[in-house]
Amino acid sequence: MKILLFPWMKALDRLAIEKAGIPSIVLMENAAQAAASCFAAEFSLPVFKNCLLLIGKGNNGGDGLAIGRLLSQQGYNAHFMILNPTEQFSPDAKVNFTKIRNLKLKYDGVTDIMVLKKIFNTYQPHDTFLVDAIFGTGLNEPISPGFFSDIMQAVNDSQFQVASVDIPSGLSEAFLPESGPHIRAQVTAALHCLKWAHIYPDGNSHCGKIQVVDIGIPAAITDNPAHYIRLVEPRDFSDLLVEREPAAHKGVFGHVLNIVGSREKPGAGILSSFSCLKTGAGLVTAAVSLANRDLYVLAHPEIMTLIYARPEELAGKFNDFSCVLAGPGLGNQLSTAQTIDLLLLQARVPVILDADALNVLQGRTEILQAERSWPLVLTPHAGEFARLIGDSTQTVLANRLELRRKFAIKYRLHLILKGHHTLIATPQGNVYVNQTGNAGMATAGSGDVLTGMIAGLLAQFFPKYPLEKILSAAVFLHGYAADLAVNETGQMSLTASDIIRYIPQCVLKINEFRSPFPVS
């Protein structure tokens, strides 16, 4: 599924009108029919008999006018609250306003917040829902204090269930939700496809249940290679999960070298090594100190160990493996920096850098610009990425897309930004967005499990399959394993070990996955 930026969606609308010959008023009617069906299914008669509609002046308001008309035809008592002078309406909104006026449907011009509150007081939340059709996805700056911010506050203070058209008003891809007022919805009908503002910056927690609805734009128009953001789905990597050949042996499925685990933090290496194995790697060797060696063997005897005391003892060994993972629990110290420098200089196999392997690159990312023919994957969370680029975590959170793309392109690497809706950015500038996972994953070792899963899949499938497919699978399965695990543990008690324990189930139950962003 594609995720579109606001300018791309505007371009698609224009192409549908100019190239496919679909009049804009037809697109609006299609959108209204799809959204009205979505809202009627969520707030069904006879329980909800009243529908209050907040109508802005643009095409979002035009959608709302048409939705209210269609809901009225289904038997709802529709009451329109017009928030702008009708002469300010967009052309298609004017057409739909004329329709509701000719049908003598109930509407009021609302120019004062007290008028709105008076209307609210005439309805009861138990049988009334509210449709938010004030603003669409194209806001460039937060809503300033005044009339519209007062409306949003009144809506959020009310007890009405809210259904938003395309996106809750006040949200935008241009700024963080906390930058200004916005409506909090229980359900959102996303028109045609997901928009960036539904996902980032963390917008979907304010959207409630998101339903993607078809508005009749031909698929051929949407499939533009310039629209490089994709929501990862199981079908994108299903060919990695097929049954193995009967005569297969462990050597066929790769051998991972995992350079991990300082004396103070051995657990990260144990978690990442075992998740490599549970994801299907044929062999895993953990490069550890002598002091930690027995911990690995006792925790999981399947993990082999390579003992080293100094970075130079690893020299010449990297290319004996299918891929190399470095960083979990290594410690942010000189020896770690020396190890990573040696690895980047000598490796001719895929390399994954995580945790302290990233921290030691702070202030010296020029080492990443060296020529190489092998894939390099970096897996920072927001704080680690902020340190890498020398900026604040807040800046990273507010500019997830462009910062990741530019970094991945500049250094010719794959960047996985861990967090809510983990991102994968490629050297070509493509971006993949994960849809699995939950807040229970905010626990020690969760990221170590992910990097182990990445290494396990890389060892098995690269270079036979594209790296983007392998990384997408790892990130998706990591989140899906956690989603299955919380059914047993709850979010509060979820641990990294629980995620590993559910890796087999997430593979076996991949066909049972149900997207939180259903399409109708």
Side-chain angles (χ1 to χ4, degrees), residues 135-148:
F135 302 114
T137 57
L139 291 176
N140 293 319
E141 56 187 25
I143 301 300
S144 301
F147 177 57
F148 285 104

Side-chain angles (χ1 to χ4, degrees), residues 33 46 53 58 60 63 86 129 142 167 180 207 238 244 268 320 364 367 391 432 513:
Q33 289 176 352
L53 298 105
N60 196 255
D63 293 333
T86 56
F129 73 99
I167 195 163
C207 295
S238 58
R244 293 178 168 183
D320 296 335
R364 54 190 204 98
I367 193 174
D391 214 323
Y432 299 81
F513 171 75

